[in-house]
Amino acid sequence: MRIRGGRLRVGRNAADTSGSNGSGGGGPVGGPSGGAPTGSHTTGGPTPGGGPPGDRPPGNDTTGSDPTWGDAAGSDAAGGRTSGPASGGRSSAGGGSSAGGPDSAGAGRLVSPWPRAAALLLAGALPALAFPAPGLWWFAYLALVPWLLLIRTARSPRRAVLDGWIGGIGFVIAVHHWLVPSLHVFIVLLAALLGLLWAPWGLLVSRLLGGSPSARRAVAAVVVVPSGWLLIELVRSWEGLGGPWGLLGASQWEVSPALRVASVGGVWLVSLLVLAVNTGVALLIAAPPARRTAGVLLLLCALSVTAIWAWAPRPGYAGTVRIAVAQPGIVAGPGSVARRLDRGEELTRALAGRGVDLVVWGESSIGAGVWERPETARRLAELSRRVGADLLVNVDARQTDGSGRSGIFKSAVLVGPDGPTGDRYDKMRLVPFGEYVPARSLLGWATSVGKAAGEDRLRGDRQVVMTVPDGERGLRIGPLVCFETAFPDMSRRLVRDGAQVLVAQSATSTFQGSWAPAQHASLGALRAAENGRPTVHATLTGISAAYGPRGERVGRPLGTGASAAEVFDLPLARGETLYGRFGDWPVYGAFAALAALCAVEGLRALRRPVPGPPGPPARTAHGSPGRPGR
């Protein structure tokens, strides 16, 4: 074969746009001269060694691909191949890559940066619909598919990284949109920073889903892509980055099989399951060679959930406890702290004679000024005597803790017939910007932009299990304050320390009318199922709810428009869940899967032949090696 007007380059990535391709660029393949125009190159044509289209000899330099990506970054790196010989042949599908590649009719419209960025932002935001309040839990198993398919068409590793980042921005804004009244434009900066966590995940998705995955690569994708996502959830679960709000597994809080999965591996294992299904569906849609493998993997996911449902240990019944919640509702304006206390006292007094064992008030139910008055403790003690039950109130005021520190604490305080019992838990994990400003010397300006804390709260230094008198035996409760219910490790720690009931005190009044109250209340179901212990979620303004030891809803929840008290008969449980015994083992499994991938890629790189010196340039029809253009 004789090539006119230039040299034939082999092994070129079909997704590279620096030269010509079947859809235009530097001139169509098979132009008037019967070959590539001067200065251009062809893709997918025969190699000098006579290999199949798209092959490249060892050591040949390529553009737009990375040899460490193995079969994912060859000529089919973007999901399609060009076909036909370089001399006169045209690519399939009328001059573009085969279906599924970035040059196909469907993907070509998203090559331009701005439309693609908009599509990625939307795709990243879609999973938010699976959480309350929309509550489309089933959508979680499909919500990530558009994002995965977009990353799959990335033309280069750099583009895949950018796709992961932009989609991450959309996810963070959508899941935390209710913070806009507090943070205003600052949420965009926050999303841009947190979105960086998804940048390497985008590279991972491109590596495993790009091109035409083999059966082996499809299996790796269904394991490793969810593992990469899980490590993102683990990193952003750090309190300094905002905490584990919006973990994908938390969207399954009302699905009984998913709650059983949570009892085995916590919310982490549920997230892995949801991501595995999304990855399998993406393979079914975009990777015909791997469809059979993807179908088998999805079937294995279903069988695994069925096995967990049938054989995972269930908590045993150990009696019943009656716990009441007093929710005063929205109390605003001048004197709101004192009026909120009055309303809570009125609702609690109405519980007399109903045989309750404990009455729980919401977060900040007793504020600054009121708590310092001696008569407040006397009123609460008298209220406890009248109802015949202890009160768990929450104090948001300047106090001194056991170590002598003075400042504003948020504290769960147990009050009995004789006044405060001495059992007190100071909130340990504070809400960034809401209760303290990280690096206030640098970020203190945030207080002038939104509703950031004017003064930092102080943290408690340990978790506390309290004992409530209950006849001849004591009821052991584990208090949590506000978004501490989002942290799986805190609930597990309390149960391992002997807590029989998890009690959460919260206040989402700032975010009334948003999705936040419903999302916050739903976390109680996950914590109950993970640990096999009932959970009570008490708030000032709703939603207040209770859940049994399997995560099932108990009684009637109090909505955001209610100012009322509600009594819940909670079944107690004995025994230990697998998650309670083994902890966050799915996280360690995710680390192992990623480490195995790195090891395989490292061995592949070591075994790859060292590139040799380039061969002599091809002799052209109108010149010589010394004078190629003549």
Side-chain angles (χ1 to χ4, degrees), residues 32 122 208 536 539 622:
L122 178 61
L208 293 169
V536 175
T539 71
H622 295 292

Side-chain angles (χ1 to χ4, degrees), residues 525-610:
L526 267 295
R527 303 294 84 87
E530 287 172 342
N531 299 284
R533 296 295 183 269
T535 300
V536 175
H537 183 82
T539 71
L540 290 179
T541 59
I543 297 173
S544 296
Y547 305 93
R550 299 180 183 178
E552 74 278 16
R553 195 193 296 273
V554 174
R556 178 179 64 91
L558 295 175
T560 54
S563 176
E566 185 69 22
V567 177
F568 300 101
D569 290 313
L570 293 173
L572 297 177
R574 61 175 178 269
E576 191 175 25
T577 64
L578 293 178
Y579 175 72
R581 182 180 306 170
F582 298 111
D584 301 330
W585 63 266
V587 175
Y588 305 132
F591 273 114
L594 292 172
L597 176 67
C598 293
V600 169
E601 294 296 344
L603 290 174
R604 181 178 294 172
L606 290 174
R607 292 174 179 173
R608 186 172 294 110
V610 178

Side-chain angles (χ1 to χ4, degrees), residues 69 96 102 118 122 128 130 164 168 300 316 349 414 425 461 481 502 512 630:
W69 294 132
L122 178 61
L300 286 176
R349 189 177 291 112
L414 191 64
Y425 165 66
D461 55 8
V481 181
L502 298 171
Q512 297 294 97
R630 303 181 65 84

Side-chain angles (χ1 to χ4, degrees), residues 129-418:
L129 298 175
F131 295 93
L136 305 178
W137 64 265
W138 53 268
F139 186 57
Y141 297 93
L142 303 171
L144 288 171
V145 172
W147 190 2
L148 292 170
L149 295 180
L150 280 169
I151 297 176
R152 181 180 178 275
T153 64
R155 294 174 175 269
S156 67
R158 180 180 298 179
R159 178 73 246 186
V161 167
L162 189 61
D163 289 351
W165 179 45
I166 295 174
I169 293 174
F171 179 84
V172 172
I173 291 177
V175 173
H176 298 85
H177 74 276
W178 43 272
L179 287 173
V180 172
S182 297
L183 297 182
H184 297 288
V185 295
F186 194 74
I187 194 174
V188 178
L189 176 59
L190 177 67
L193 293 174
L194 290 179
L196 290 172
L197 295 173
W198 280 269
W201 184 74
L203 190 62
L204 189 67
V205 171
S206 176
R207 159 69 181 94
L208 293 169
L209 296 184
S212 299
S214 62
R216 184 168 57 181
R217 186 146 59 92
V219 173
V222 173
V223 174
V224 178
V225 169
S227 297
W229 181 283
L230 192 66
L231 294 192
I232 296 171
E233 292 195 335
L234 179 67
V235 172
R236 71 185 185 89
S237 294
W238 179 46
E239 175 198 347
L241 293 180
W245 190 276
L247 301 184
L248 202 58
S251 65
Q252 306 302 294
W253 68 279
E254 57 183 342
V255 182
S256 295
L259 292 173
R260 295 282 288 144
V261 172
S263 73
V264 173
V267 68
W268 313 113
L269 187 57
V270 183
S271 287
L272 282 176
L273 172 66
V274 172
L275 260 296
V277 173
N278 274 275
T279 307
V281 172
L283 287 168
L284 284 175
I285 294 174
R291 281 177 179 167
R292 178 176 297 178
T293 303
V296 171
L297 292 171
L298 290 174
L299 179 60
L300 286 176
C301 288
L303 292 176
S304 298
V305 174
T306 303
I308 290 173
W309 176 267
W311 293 311
R314 299 173 183 264
Y317 178 74
T320 304
V321 64
R322 175 165 285 194
I323 297 179
V325 170
Q327 178 178 298
I330 299 176
V331 179
S336 59
V337 173
R339 291 189 291 114
R340 186 163 60 237
L341 174 61
D342 292 342
R343 180 58 178 161
E345 184 179 8
E346 178 184 355
L347 292 172
T348 303
R349 189 177 291 112
L351 296 171
R354 299 190 62 180
V356 296
D357 300 298
L358 177 69
V359 181
V360 184
W361 291 13
E363 179 187 11
S364 303
S365 49
I366 300 179
V370 171
W371 184 243
E372 286 81 358
R373 300 172 188 169
E375 65 269 19
T376 300
R378 290 196 294 268
R379 287 173 61 184
L380 293 175
E382 189 277 330
L383 191 59
S384 174
R385 290 192 296 270
R386 174 184 289 268
V387 177
D390 283 13
L391 314 178
L392 185 69
V393 300
N394 192 275
V395 178
D396 185 1
R398 197 171 299 278
Q399 305 173 71
T400 301
D401 68 356
S403 63
R405 293 182 302 161
S406 294
I408 300 177
F409 289 91
K410 282 195 174 181
S411 306
V413 178
L414 191 64
V415 180
D418 300 322

